[in-house]
Amino acid sequence: MVADNALKWTYSGATDGQKEYPSNFDEFTYPATETEPFPVPFEYPTTCPNAALDGSGLLPIGATVAFHSYHNRFIRIHEDDSVDASSEITDPADLPLTHTWERFTVVDAGNGEVALYSELHGRYLQMTGDADMASIAIEEPVDWSAGYGWEKFQPVNVGDGKFGLWNNDLNCWVRMEGDEDMDAQCIG
């Protein structure tokens, strides 16, 4: 088992007393307590069998989303097209509307997978073969059935209104390190 809170993301749908974003932003949620926002340690599966992937509806297709982590930072595509974490924002409801690098459009990549597109940069979030996070421009329209395994993610329900982003092609979770780095936690 892998115990790593840095792999866990929050999105709307939780009904356990969590705060909601303002109405002018997509409905994400935040844990009710800031002192212990996630169960510690959280045990992630060592494999990600299809039977365990119950992430349908976690990321609605076409929605504009932002991902807040345990480290009180958001995933973002930087102006140089690299992927890192934002400056610390303790309460995700305080994400300024001017912070556009942190926003992604959820695209249907087929088979229960999604791609995360930055309209600002015209690039997709990508997990590379060396377990790093990057971004890539792909000519539209994208034929997701033709490959692009590094750009597809499976939202996985990990309980407590949280989810992980799993890459089936590389057998890895999206992970944010505490120092603003983004990478992958690979299995096997």
PDB file of all heavy atoms in Angstrom, residues 122-140:
ATOM      1  N   GLY A 122      -3.561  26.637 -24.253  1.00  0.00           N
ATOM      2  CA  GLY A 122      -3.796  25.756 -25.396  1.00  0.00           C
ATOM      3  C   GLY A 122      -3.039  24.443 -25.265  1.00  0.00           C
ATOM      4  O   GLY A 122      -2.548  23.905 -26.254  1.00  0.00           O
ATOM      5  N   ARG A 123      -2.953  23.919 -24.033  1.00  0.00           N
ATOM      6  CA  ARG A 123      -2.166  22.726 -23.773  1.00  0.00           C
ATOM      7  C   ARG A 123      -2.916  21.787 -22.825  1.00  0.00           C
ATOM      8  O   ARG A 123      -3.752  22.219 -22.042  1.00  0.00           O
ATOM      9  CB  ARG A 123      -0.812  23.099 -23.170  1.00  0.00           C
ATOM     10  CG  ARG A 123       0.005  24.005 -24.085  1.00  0.00           C
ATOM     11  CD  ARG A 123       1.316  24.406 -23.480  1.00  0.00           C
ATOM     12  NE  ARG A 123       2.282  23.314 -23.450  1.00  0.00           N
ATOM     13  CZ  ARG A 123       3.048  22.947 -24.474  1.00  0.00           C
ATOM     14  NH1 ARG A 123       2.956  23.583 -25.625  1.00  0.00           N
ATOM     15  NH2 ARG A 123       3.909  21.962 -24.356  1.00  0.00           N
ATOM     16  N   TYR A 124      -2.571  20.504 -22.909  1.00  0.00           N
ATOM     17  CA  TYR A 124      -3.142  19.474 -22.042  1.00  0.00           C
ATOM     18  C   TYR A 124      -2.137  19.098 -20.957  1.00  0.00           C
ATOM     19  O   TYR A 124      -0.925  19.083 -21.198  1.00  0.00           O
ATOM     20  CB  TYR A 124      -3.481  18.214 -22.841  1.00  0.00           C
ATOM     21  CG  TYR A 124      -4.696  18.360 -23.714  1.00  0.00           C
ATOM     22  CD1 TYR A 124      -4.575  18.821 -25.021  1.00  0.00           C
ATOM     23  CD2 TYR A 124      -5.963  18.053 -23.230  1.00  0.00           C
ATOM     24  CE1 TYR A 124      -5.690  18.968 -25.828  1.00  0.00           C
ATOM     25  CE2 TYR A 124      -7.080  18.194 -24.026  1.00  0.00           C
ATOM     26  CZ  TYR A 124      -6.941  18.650 -25.324  1.00  0.00           C
ATOM     27  OH  TYR A 124      -8.046  18.796 -26.117  1.00  0.00           O
ATOM     28  N   LEU A 125      -2.661  18.757 -19.777  1.00  0.00           N
ATOM     29  CA  LEU A 125      -1.827  18.210 -18.719  1.00  0.00           C
ATOM     30  C   LEU A 125      -1.324  16.848 -19.178  1.00  0.00           C
ATOM     31  O   LEU A 125      -2.064  16.073 -19.777  1.00  0.00           O
ATOM     32  CB  LEU A 125      -2.654  18.073 -17.443  1.00  0.00           C
ATOM     33  CG  LEU A 125      -1.914  17.738 -16.161  1.00  0.00           C
ATOM     34  CD1 LEU A 125      -0.988  18.896 -15.767  1.00  0.00           C
ATOM     35  CD2 LEU A 125      -2.905  17.484 -15.036  1.00  0.00           C
ATOM     36  N   GLN A 126      -0.046  16.555 -18.893  1.00  0.00           N
ATOM     37  CA  GLN A 126       0.562  15.309 -19.352  1.00  0.00           C
ATOM     38  C   GLN A 126       1.438  14.720 -18.251  1.00  0.00           C
ATOM     39  O   GLN A 126       2.168  15.448 -17.573  1.00  0.00           O
ATOM     40  CB  GLN A 126       1.426  15.597 -20.580  1.00  0.00           C
ATOM     41  CG  GLN A 126       2.174  14.403 -21.120  1.00  0.00           C
ATOM     42  CD  GLN A 126       3.164  14.803 -22.190  1.00  0.00           C
ATOM     43  OE1 GLN A 126       4.098  15.551 -21.936  1.00  0.00           O
ATOM     44  NE2 GLN A 126       2.946  14.308 -23.400  1.00  0.00           N
ATOM     45  N   MET A 127       1.373  13.396 -18.094  1.00  0.00           N
ATOM     46  CA  MET A 127       2.296  12.678 -17.223  1.00  0.00           C
ATOM     47  C   MET A 127       3.312  12.018 -18.146  1.00  0.00           C
ATOM     48  O   MET A 127       2.937  11.291 -19.058  1.00  0.00           O
ATOM     49  CB  MET A 127       1.552  11.624 -16.413  1.00  0.00           C
ATOM     50  CG  MET A 127       2.428  10.863 -15.441  1.00  0.00           C
ATOM     51  SD  MET A 127       1.482   9.622 -14.519  1.00  0.00           S
ATOM     52  CE  MET A 127       0.504  10.668 -13.443  1.00  0.00           C
ATOM     53  N   THR A 128       4.587  12.284 -17.922  1.00  0.00           N
ATOM     54  CA  THR A 128       5.613  11.761 -18.824  1.00  0.00           C
ATOM     55  C   THR A 128       6.102  10.389 -18.373  1.00  0.00           C
ATOM     56  O   THR A 128       5.881   9.979 -17.239  1.00  0.00           O
ATOM     57  CB  THR A 128       6.811  12.720 -18.909  1.00  0.00           C
ATOM     58  OG1 THR A 128       7.444  12.774 -17.632  1.00  0.00           O
ATOM     59  CG2 THR A 128       6.369  14.112 -19.334  1.00  0.00           C
ATOM     60  N   GLY A 129       6.795   9.706 -19.255  1.00  0.00           N
ATOM     61  CA  GLY A 129       7.312   8.375 -18.979  1.00  0.00           C
ATOM     62  C   GLY A 129       8.339   8.332 -17.864  1.00  0.00           C
ATOM     63  O   GLY A 129       8.604   7.273 -17.307  1.00  0.00           O
ATOM     64  N   ASP A 130       8.923   9.487 -17.520  1.00  0.00           N
ATOM     65  CA  ASP A 130       9.892   9.524 -16.419  1.00  0.00           C
ATOM     66  C   ASP A 130       9.240  10.005 -15.118  1.00  0.00           C
ATOM     67  O   ASP A 130       9.917  10.539 -14.247  1.00  0.00           O
ATOM     68  CB  ASP A 130      11.109  10.360 -16.780  1.00  0.00           C
ATOM     69  CG  ASP A 130      10.778  11.810 -17.111  1.00  0.00           C
ATOM     70  OD1 ASP A 130       9.579  12.170 -17.147  1.00  0.00           O
ATOM     71  OD2 ASP A 130      11.710  12.598 -17.334  1.00  0.00           O
ATOM     72  N   ALA A 131       7.928   9.806 -15.007  1.00  0.00           N
ATOM     73  CA  ALA A 131       7.152  10.122 -13.794  1.00  0.00           C
ATOM     74  C   ALA A 131       7.182  11.602 -13.446  1.00  0.00           C
ATOM     75  O   ALA A 131       7.200  11.979 -12.281  1.00  0.00           O
ATOM     76  CB  ALA A 131       7.603   9.263 -12.615  1.00  0.00           C
ATOM     77  N   ASP A 132       7.162  12.442 -14.447  1.00  0.00           N
ATOM     78  CA  ASP A 132       7.120  13.886 -14.241  1.00  0.00           C
ATOM     79  C   ASP A 132       5.802  14.397 -14.819  1.00  0.00           C
ATOM     80  O   ASP A 132       5.122  13.703 -15.567  1.00  0.00           O
ATOM     81  CB  ASP A 132       8.303  14.543 -14.948  1.00  0.00           C
ATOM     82  CG  ASP A 132       8.638  15.914 -14.397  1.00  0.00           C
ATOM     83  OD1 ASP A 132       8.018  16.324 -13.399  1.00  0.00           O
ATOM     84  OD2 ASP A 132       9.522  16.568 -14.960  1.00  0.00           O
ATOM     85  N   MET A 133       5.433  15.616 -14.476  1.00  0.00           N
ATOM     86  CA  MET A 133       4.246  16.241 -15.040  1.00  0.00           C
ATOM     87  C   MET A 133       4.694  17.335 -15.991  1.00  0.00           C
ATOM     88  O   MET A 133       5.657  18.061 -15.722  1.00  0.00           O
ATOM     89  CB  MET A 133       3.353  16.813 -13.940  1.00  0.00           C
ATOM     90  CG  MET A 133       2.779  15.772 -12.987  1.00  0.00           C
ATOM     91  SD  MET A 133       1.794  14.472 -13.781  1.00  0.00           S
ATOM     92  CE  MET A 133       0.424  15.418 -14.423  1.00  0.00           C
ATOM     93  N   ALA A 134       3.985  17.449 -17.111  1.00  0.00           N
ATOM     94  CA  ALA A 134       4.316  18.426 -18.148  1.00  0.00           C
ATOM     95  C   ALA A 134       3.015  18.856 -18.814  1.00  0.00           C
ATOM     96  O   ALA A 134       1.919  18.498 -18.369  1.00  0.00           O
ATOM     97  CB  ALA A 134       5.270  17.792 -19.165  1.00  0.00           C
ATOM     98  N   SER A 135       3.131  19.620 -19.885  1.00  0.00           N
ATOM     99  CA  SER A 135       1.960  19.972 -20.684  1.00  0.00           C
ATOM    100  C   SER A 135       2.342  19.820 -22.148  1.00  0.00           C
ATOM    101  O   SER A 135       3.524  19.884 -22.511  1.00  0.00           O
ATOM    102  CB  SER A 135       1.484  21.392 -20.380  1.00  0.00           C
ATOM    103  OG  SER A 135       2.414  22.345 -20.839  1.00  0.00           O
ATOM    104  N   ILE A 136       1.337  19.607 -22.987  1.00  0.00           N
ATOM    105  CA  ILE A 136       1.592  19.372 -24.401  1.00  0.00           C
ATOM    106  C   ILE A 136       0.472  19.989 -25.228  1.00  0.00           C
ATOM    107  O   ILE A 136      -0.696  19.944 -24.846  1.00  0.00           O
ATOM    108  CB  ILE A 136       1.712  17.851 -24.687  1.00  0.00           C
ATOM    109  CG1 ILE A 136       2.084  17.603 -26.147  1.00  0.00           C
ATOM    110  CG2 ILE A 136       0.445  17.121 -24.286  1.00  0.00           C
ATOM    111  CD1 ILE A 136       2.438  16.159 -26.451  1.00  0.00           C
ATOM    112  N   ALA A 137       0.847  20.572 -26.369  1.00  0.00           N
ATOM    113  CA  ALA A 137      -0.144  21.065 -27.330  1.00  0.00           C
ATOM    114  C   ALA A 137      -0.475  19.911 -28.276  1.00  0.00           C
ATOM    115  O   ALA A 137       0.426  19.238 -28.778  1.00  0.00           O
ATOM    116  CB  ALA A 137       0.416  22.245 -28.107  1.00  0.00           C
ATOM    117  N   ILE A 138      -1.756  19.650 -28.468  1.00  0.00           N
ATOM    118  CA  ILE A 138      -2.205  18.596 -29.375  1.00  0.00           C
ATOM    119  C   ILE A 138      -3.137  19.236 -30.382  1.00  0.00           C
ATOM    120  O   ILE A 138      -4.065  19.950 -30.014  1.00  0.00           O
ATOM    121  CB  ILE A 138      -2.941  17.471 -28.621  1.00  0.00           C
ATOM    122  CG1 ILE A 138      -2.034  16.856 -27.543  1.00  0.00           C
ATOM    123  CG2 ILE A 138      -3.415  16.395 -29.599  1.00  0.00           C
ATOM    124  CD1 ILE A 138      -2.737  15.833 -26.668  1.00  0.00           C
ATOM    125  N   GLU A 139      -2.896  18.961 -31.671  1.00  0.00           N
ATOM    126  CA  GLU A 139      -3.728  19.548 -32.727  1.00  0.00           C
ATOM    127  C   GLU A 139      -5.160  19.047 -32.600  1.00  0.00           C
ATOM    128  O   GLU A 139      -5.411  17.850 -32.445  1.00  0.00           O
ATOM    129  CB  GLU A 139      -3.162  19.174 -34.095  1.00  0.00           C
ATOM    130  CG  GLU A 139      -3.860  19.884 -35.227  1.00  0.00           C
ATOM    131  CD  GLU A 139      -3.195  19.604 -36.566  1.00  0.00           C
ATOM    132  OE1 GLU A 139      -1.966  19.477 -36.608  1.00  0.00           O
ATOM    133  OE2 GLU A 139      -3.941  19.535 -37.560  1.00  0.00           O
ATOM    134  N   GLU A 140      -6.103  19.973 -32.624  1.00  0.00           N
ATOM    135  CA  GLU A 140      -7.522  19.639 -32.522  1.00  0.00           C
ATOM    136  C   GLU A 140      -8.071  19.299 -33.912  1.00  0.00           C
ATOM    137  O   GLU A 140      -7.578  19.812 -34.902  1.00  0.00           O
ATOM    138  CB  GLU A 140      -8.300  20.835 -31.945  1.00  0.00           C
ATOM    139  CG  GLU A 140      -7.849  21.260 -30.553  1.00  0.00           C
ATOM    140  CD  GLU A 140      -8.228  20.285 -29.456  1.00  0.00           C
ATOM    141  OE1 GLU A 140      -9.173  19.504 -29.647  1.00  0.00           O
ATOM    142  OE2 GLU A 140      -7.571  20.302 -28.422  1.00  0.00           O
TER     143      GLU A 140
END
